Every structure is written in structure tokens, then in C-alpha cells.
């Protein structure tokens, strides 16, 4: 019981607590980590030319509740990250929602219609990115990344369900 309450609190407040260290981390360090992760994750798609549509175009990602924002483009066969403010398309959302989408535990279309995932800018490019993400099999991810993602997503999913149950029980209490 205590663990489930703690998990719910971590899931609810955790991203906001991460916001401070993320905002204090120099962008050069964030850039190095993001580029390494992105190129590692998409190594097969890069080798097959599946990301060539990003050549000369830019995809912005913003995780609002942890103050993390970057732009990605394809340059010389590799994904590069920059801190530019102008992107052809922006994907914006909160950490828990984006994590669940990445782990295939939430439908991006549902989040989009609930306005929890925002896509702004070049809709054609946004659809290409979304279709590529949908086509990536979790089994194709590097094992450590996949395992970490799945475990974190399971933790978040359970915490969100616990929070929903708590809200539902509070709604039944009369004033």
C-alpha cells in the first residue's frame, strides 16, 4: 500500500523534479547523450535509408514537464541534435505520455485527440515521423534500452492507474 502510493507520487511529481537538473545541465552534455541514444536506437533505420526524409528538414521534440527541448535532423548519414528554436515540425508532450508512447503502452493518436500530444508545423513530415515510429519494433531496440524503457513504462503505467483509482474513489466522497 505504501509502495503503491509512493509509486503514484513518483509518477505524478517525478518529471517536475527532473526538470531542475535537466535545465541546469549544459546543452552540450544533453546534445552528446541525445545524439548517442538516437543514433544507437535508429542505427538500422539509418543504414536502410529510412530516415533520409529528415535530410535538410528538422524535427523538434519538447518534453514540457522536464524542460527538455531539442531539434533533430539528418546530416551526413547521422542524426544530429541542436538547440535551435525553429523546426519544420514539433512534437510536444509530457514525459510520462511520451514514455508510454515509446514503449507502445499508449496510442499516440489517442493522446493527440486528447491534446496530450501536440504536433505543430509540417504535418506531412510529422506523419512520416509518426509512421516511422509506429513501424519500429520494440525487439529491434538495443536490449538495454528496450529493457529500461519497458520497466520504466510499466512503473509509470501502474502509477497512473493507481492515481486514476485514487481520483475515482475521491470523486465518490460526498462533501
Amino acid at each position: 500500500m505504501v509502495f503503491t502510493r509512493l509509486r503514484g507520487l513518483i509518477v505524478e511529481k517525478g518529471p517536475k523534479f527532473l526538470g531542475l537538473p535537466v535545465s541546469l545541465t549544459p546543452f552540450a552534455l544533453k546534445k552528446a547523450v541525445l545524439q548517442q541514444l538516437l543514433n544507437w536506437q535508429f542505427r538500422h533505420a539509418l543504414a536502410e535509408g529510412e530516415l533520409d526524409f529528415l535530410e535538410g528538414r528538422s524535427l523538434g521534440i519538447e518534453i514540457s514537464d522536464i524542460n527538455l527541448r531539442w531539434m533533430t535532423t539528418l546530416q551526413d548519414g547521422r542524426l544530429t541534435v541542436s538547440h535551435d528554436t525553429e523546426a519544420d515540425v514539433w512534437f510536444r508532450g509530457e514525459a510520462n505520455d511520451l514514455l508510454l508512447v515509446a514503449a507502445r503502452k499508449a496510442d499516440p493518436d489517442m493522446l493527440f485527440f486528447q491534446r496530450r500530444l501536440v504536433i505543430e508545423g509540417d504535418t506531412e513530415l510529422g506523419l512520416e515521423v509518426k509512421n516511422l515510429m509506429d513501424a519500429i519494433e520494440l525487439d529491434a531496440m538495443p536490449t538495454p534500452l528496450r529493457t529500461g524503457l519497458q520497466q520504466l513504462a510499466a512503473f509509470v503505467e501502474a502509477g497512473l492507474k493507481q492515481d486514476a483509482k485514487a481520483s475515482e474513489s475521491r470523486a465518490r466522497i460526498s462533501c
Side-chain angles (χ1 to χ4, degrees):
M1 178 99 149
V2 172
F3 177 72
T4 56
R5 284 186 184 164
L6 181 59
R7 178 178 49 209
L9 189 61
I10 290 169
V11 168
E12 178 187 353
K13 304 286 185 191
K16 289 181 184 16
F17 287 125
L18 284 175
L20 180 61
V22 167
S23 64
L24 295 175
T25 302
F27 187 76
L29 179 59
K30 290 187 270 193
K31 175 181 177 174
V33 170
L34 287 168
Q35 281 183 174
Q36 185 68 33
L37 276 172
L38 290 170
N39 283 292
W40 185 37
Q41 164 57 34
F42 294 107
R43 67 192 183 285
H44 296 298
L46 287 164
E48 297 293 321
E50 294 173 12
L51 292 169
D52 288 353
F53 67 88
L54 268 178
E55 185 83 42
R57 298 166 91 186
S58 56
L59 163 67
I61 307 287
E62 182 178 328
I63 308 172
S64 55
D65 55 348
I66 62 170
N67 301 316
L68 184 58
R69 176 184 169 120
W70 75 92
M71 191 196 71
T72 301
T73 191
L74 183 68
Q75 197 170 43
D76 300 324
R78 293 190 45 82
L79 292 170
T80 61
V81 170
S82 69
H83 197 45
D84 296 339
T85 58
E86 295 298 319
D88 295 310
V89 65
W90 279 97
F91 280 68
R92 293 184 169 95
E94 293 191 346
N96 289 333
D97 290 333
L98 294 174
L99 175 73
L100 292 174
V101 166
R104 305 293 195 271
K105 301 252 183 209
D107 177 24
D109 293 327
M110 179 191 70
L111 294 177
F112 176 78
F113 288 116
Q114 292 175 348
R115 299 178 191 252
R116 292 168 45 195
L117 174 63
V118 177
I119 303 170
E120 296 174 336
D122 183 340
T123 53
E124 181 181 327
L125 178 58
L127 281 173
E128 286 182 81
V129 171
K130 183 195 165 298
N131 291 338
L132 175 71
M133 297 301 292
D134 287 343
I136 293 174
E137 297 294 326
L138 284 179
D139 292 339
M141 280 185 170
T143 302
L145 184 59
R146 181 182 66 244
T147 303
L149 177 67
Q150 288 174 326
Q151 289 176 348
L152 189 54
F155 183 86
V156 166
E157 187 175 43
L160 290 173
K161 284 180 183 174
Q162 177 62 34
D163 189 48
K165 286 179 188 175
S167 295
E168 184 179 293
S169 65
R170 285 191 303 265
R172 293 183 187 148
I173 298 172
S174 60
C175 299

